[in-house]
């Protein structure tokens, strides 16, 4: 919540809880956490919806956070998210609206199949921190991005999902996995905005140097 305050109240801030947030309240959101976010000007979407109106066009913004699987044999800090099925999303959010674009925010990208079947147009996700450690070349052989959804863009049916690497990591260590803040512009088809968006012209050398500098900061 402390990181929200500098943004001020002029910038709308919407967030969805993650595992650590639920662990603070032993499976629920602690009232002090909710209060801190609210006082900083943030809005928590926890299995709930907000509506945005842009020039008369609606956009539905949903926040979905799976429940933690309680395990009496383990401390709360080791509790994991429960597996998500399509029915779980419907029970939490209701039927997906068909009259506008639907954006779903979540910290559980592994539920992409359920979100797609539910009807989400776009899913913005985090929680996997980019996979923590990425071993060049070898990583492609031992990790299946279709299962892990660690970072980047994915497609399923008519749904798109973007998973950000984020800034932090529970282990405090990253390797070949620089932190990031994702800036995503949403535009209508044939919008003039699309013509003004920059096109990357970075050379292979530029990309390598960016990776080297980012990796140095990450380590």
């Amino acid at each position: 919540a402390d990181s929200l305050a500098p943004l001020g109240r002029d910038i709308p801030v919407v967030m969805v809880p993650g595992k650590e947030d639920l662990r603070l309240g032993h499976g629920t959101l602690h009232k002090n956490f909710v209060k801190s976010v609210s006082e900083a000007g943030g809005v928590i979407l926890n299995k709930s919806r907000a509506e945005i109106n842009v020039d008369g066009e609606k956009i539905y913004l949903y926040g979905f956070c799976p429940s933690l699987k309680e395990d009496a044999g383990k401390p709360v800090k080791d509790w994991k998210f429960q597996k998500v099925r399509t029915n779980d999303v419907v029970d939490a959010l209701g039927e997906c609206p068909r009259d506008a674009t639907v954006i779903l925010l979540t910290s559980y990208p592994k539920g992409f199949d359920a979100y797609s079947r539910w009807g989400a147009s776009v899913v913005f996700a985090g929680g996997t921190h980019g996979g923590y450690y990425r071993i060049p070349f070898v990583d492609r052989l031992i990790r299946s991005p279709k299962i892990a959804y660690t970072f980047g863009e994915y497609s399923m049916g008519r749904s798109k999902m973007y998973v950000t690497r984020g800034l932090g990591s529970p282990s405090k260590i990253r390797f070949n996995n620089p932190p990031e803040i994702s800036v995503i512009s949403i535009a209508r088809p044939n919008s003039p905005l699309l013509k003004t968006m920059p096109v990357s012209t970075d050379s292979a050398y530029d990309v390598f140097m960016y990776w080297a500098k980012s990796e140095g900061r990450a380590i």
Side-chain angles (χ1 to χ4, degrees):
D2 292 341
S3 61
L4 300 181
L7 296 177
R9 296 183 179 275
D10 295 331
I11 303 175
V13 176
V14 179
M15 62 176 291
V16 63
K19 285 196 298 287
E20 299 302 325
D21 302 320
L22 293 182
R23 288 167 178 168
L24 287 173
H26 288 259
T28 61
L29 289 180
H30 195 282
K31 62 180 182 180
N32 290 339
F33 172 77
V34 175
K35 180 181 178 182
S36 297
V37 172
S38 178
E39 290 179 347
V43 175
I44 300 175
L45 291 182
N46 183 25
K47 298 179 181 178
S48 55
R49 175 181 99 177
E51 184 177 321
I52 303 173
N53 191 298
V54 180
D55 295 332
E57 183 173 334
K58 290 188 298 185
I59 297 177
Y60 293 121
L61 192 62
Y62 283 84
F64 178 78
C65 181
S67 301
L68 293 181
K69 185 177 181 180
E70 297 186 17
D71 189 337
K74 295 181 179 180
V76 178
K77 67 181 182 64
D78 293 330
W79 290 1
K80 306 293 185 181
F81 278 141
Q82 293 184 10
K83 185 177 179 179
V84 175
R85 301 166 301 176
T86 305
N87 287 343
D88 298 325
V89 184
V90 174
D91 291 343
L93 303 178
E95 295 293 335
C96 183
R98 304 297 180 184
D99 61 330
T101 298
V102 175
I103 299 175
L104 187 144
L105 308 178
T106 184
S107 290
Y108 188 74
K110 289 183 180 180
F112 186 30
D113 180 69
Y115 310 145
S116 177
R117 291 177 181 274
W118 176 68
S121 309
V122 182
V123 180
F124 293 140
T128 54
H129 304 279
Y132 308 122
Y133 316 103
R134 314 223 39 124
I135 305 172
F137 306 110
V138 177
D139 195 81
R140 292 178 177 271
L141 300 177
I142 63 176
R143 190 197 306 267
S144 172
K146 291 184 179 180
I147 296 176
Y149 296 124
T150 50
F151 70 92
E153 184 178 324
Y154 302 89
S155 298
M156 183 177 293
R158 297 183 178 181
S159 301
K160 297 281 188 180
M161 179 171 73
Y162 185 84
V163 183
T164 177
R165 299 172 187 264
L167 296 176
S169 172
S171 64
K172 307 299 182 183
I173 299 176
R174 288 173 176 256
F175 178 75
N176 194 27
N177 176 32
E180 69 173 3
I181 295 177
S182 302
V183 179
I184 300 174
S185 298
I186 301 175
R188 299 184 183 93
N190 302 319
S191 169
L193 176 62
L194 296 176
K195 299 179 182 179
T196 66
M197 291 182 176
V199 177
S200 176
T201 58
D202 293 341
S203 65
Y205 173 79
D206 293 329
V207 173
F208 174 78
M209 291 304 298
Y210 170 77
W211 170 84
K213 292 178 181 178
S214 299
E215 187 55 37
R217 292 194 298 269
I219 295 176

